[in-house]
Amino acid sequence: MTRTLTTNVSNILAQDEVLAFFAVNIEFPSGTLRMWTGLGEETIDSETYTGLGNLIGISKVEESEELKATGLELSLSGVPSSLIGTILTDSYQGSPVTVLMGFLTESATGVSIVADPFTVYKGQADTMNINEDGDNLVVSMKVENRIIALEERRNRRYTEEDQKISHSTDDSLRFVAGLNNKEISWGR
């Protein structure tokens, strides 16, 4: 994915030391969850993200010049019990997930976000695992690229019955069954 970096980001990348962060936006059907790898609340693109520090884990984001679906895995440890019910009951599969990357600057007053965080990954929630070892609860979510839909088989046919599933009053395919073994002479 080609990205155009802003002047602010280019200036940060030219420095000897760079402080990077990630922000994750998951659009569950029951509401959107926004979190970032810093501390406290921060506003990114007019949305408030909750800082969870190192409680968020993001696997390596892969890119390829080939047209192929690459996924990633998000993990969240120390999940509050109030969120477990939502995780267990929400229909999360297919929910949009966006991972942003940005940079921080340090000053005498603290750390602040450099403008223009950019998208490093967009995909859809696939599967979720919950692991509990008594003291710690870790939720892992596999996120698949939207290109994965190209690999799925489509079990649709060009038949009248199949067309009626989507459009009950459409009769446009009513003659298709009769064409199956019909001999058509061209050029006579």
Side-chain angles (χ1 to χ4, degrees):
M1 170 200 276
T2 303
R3 291 179 194 84
T4 304
L5 299 179
T6 63
T7 304
N8 289 338
V9 173
S10 296
N11 292 340
I12 291 291
L13 291 173
Q15 296 176 4
D16 292 334
E17 265 187 47
V18 177
L19 298 172
F21 73 89
F22 289 97
V24 179
N25 182 348
I26 306 172
E27 297 176 32
F28 289 112
S30 62
T32 302
L33 178 63
R34 294 179 187 90
M35 52 198 166
W36 74 296
T37 55
L39 299 175
E41 290 191 346
E42 280 293 338
T43 301
I44 303 169
D45 293 334
S46 303
E47 304 287 351
T48 303
Y49 287 73
T50 303
L52 299 177
N54 60 359
L55 298 178
I56 299 175
I58 301 173
S59 68
K60 184 170 76 170
V61 177
E62 294 183 35
E63 290 187 348
S64 172
E65 290 182 5
E66 301 171 22
L67 184 62
K68 70 175 188 175
T70 56
L72 64 81
E73 186 168 340
L74 302 172
S75 63
L76 179 61
S77 56
V79 177
S81 57
S82 62
L83 198 56
I84 295 299
T86 302
I87 289 170
L88 292 174
T89 59
D90 219 348
S91 178
Y92 62 86
Q93 284 190 319
S95 296
V97 177
T98 304
V99 179
L100 303 168
M101 182 179 185
F103 300 97
L104 304 169
T105 57
E106 273 186 298
S107 65
T109 58
V111 177
S112 62
I113 292 179
V114 174
D116 315 318
F118 53 91
T119 301
V120 292
Y121 191 85
K122 265 191 167 188
Q124 298 172 334
D126 187 19
T127 59
M128 193 178 306
N129 293 317
I130 300 174
N131 297 319
E132 184 179 14
D133 62 7
D135 295 335
N136 200 7
L137 183 69
V138 178
V139 177
S140 315
M141 175 187 284
K142 291 199 183 283
V143 181
E144 294 296 338
N145 193 298
R146 295 175 292 181
I147 295 174
I148 199 93
L150 296 176
E151 297 175 4
E152 293 176 3
R153 284 187 77 182
R154 302 285 186 236
N155 291 324
R156 301 294 308 259
R157 304 286 185 251
Y158 290 108
T159 63
E160 183 178 12
E161 294 79 15
D162 196 71
Q163 182 69 5
K164 297 248 185 220
I165 293 170
S166 301
H167 308 283
S168 60
T169 59
D170 187 356
D171 290 331
S172 63
L173 298 179
R174 67 183 177 272
F175 298 116
V176 170
L179 295 175
N180 195 14
N181 293 318
K182 184 144 183 121
E183 185 177 323
I184 299 174
S185 300
W186 292 97
R188 290 187 186 194

